[in-house]
């Protein structure tokens, strides 16, 4: 399986999009929870601490996804090659069964 196979690019593109959507959802969830909890944070004097902790979690989560995508980009032929191999075998078996 070569990296030039359009199915590898397609599968990687879908995974990349799903990863960035997940990161966006995590950011949106943190923003929503922070917004809803602002009153409780202010009452206890924890607003700054919670903002810093949320920022650290968001930074680490985003960095992890970026590192994962870089790894997938470097080794996508090997990562997706096995999937494509088995998808091709399943398709061939289905054709043979007809």
């Amino acid at each position: 399986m070569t990296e030039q196979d359009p199915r590898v690019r397609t599968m990687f593109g879908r995974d990349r999009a799903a990863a960035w959507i997940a990161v966006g959802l995590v950011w949106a969830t943190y923003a929503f929870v922070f917004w809803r909890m602002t009153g409780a944070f202010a009452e206890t004097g924890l607003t700054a601490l919670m903002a810093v902790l949320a920022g650290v979690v968001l930074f680490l989560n985003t960095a992890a996804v970026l590192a994962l995508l870089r790894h997938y980009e470097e080794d996508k032929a090997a990562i997706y090659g096995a999937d494509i191999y088995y998808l091709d075998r399943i398709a061939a078996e289905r054709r043979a069964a007809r």
Side-chain angles (χ1 to χ4, degrees):
M1 184 62 44
T2 66
E3 206 173 296
Q4 301 303 319
D5 190 328
R7 296 179 294 175
V8 170
R9 285 192 307 272
T10 301
M11 292 172 86
F12 175 69
R14 281 194 304 248
D15 285 352
R16 181 179 49 224
W20 286 121
I21 288 169
V23 167
L25 289 173
V26 167
W27 276 77
T29 301
Y30 267 75
F32 175 75
V33 170
F34 194 85
W35 170 65
R36 295 297 294 163
M37 295 298 295
T38 301
F41 295 157
E43 288 176 12
T44 57
L46 295 174
T47 304
L49 175 65
M50 296 308 286
V52 168
L53 292 175
V56 168
V57 169
L58 291 171
F59 170 76
L60 292 174
N61 182 269
T62 304
V65 169
L66 185 59
L68 175 113
L69 290 175
R70 284 185 182 158
H71 168 68
Y72 271 39
E73 176 73 36
E74 293 169 358
D75 212 13
K76 63 185 169 188
I79 292 168
Y80 297 107
D83 290 342
I84 290 173
Y85 170 77
Y86 287 110
L87 289 171
D88 289 346
R89 282 191 57 189
I90 290 168
E93 288 175 11
R94 286 184 181 161
R95 282 191 303 270
R98 289 184 191 168

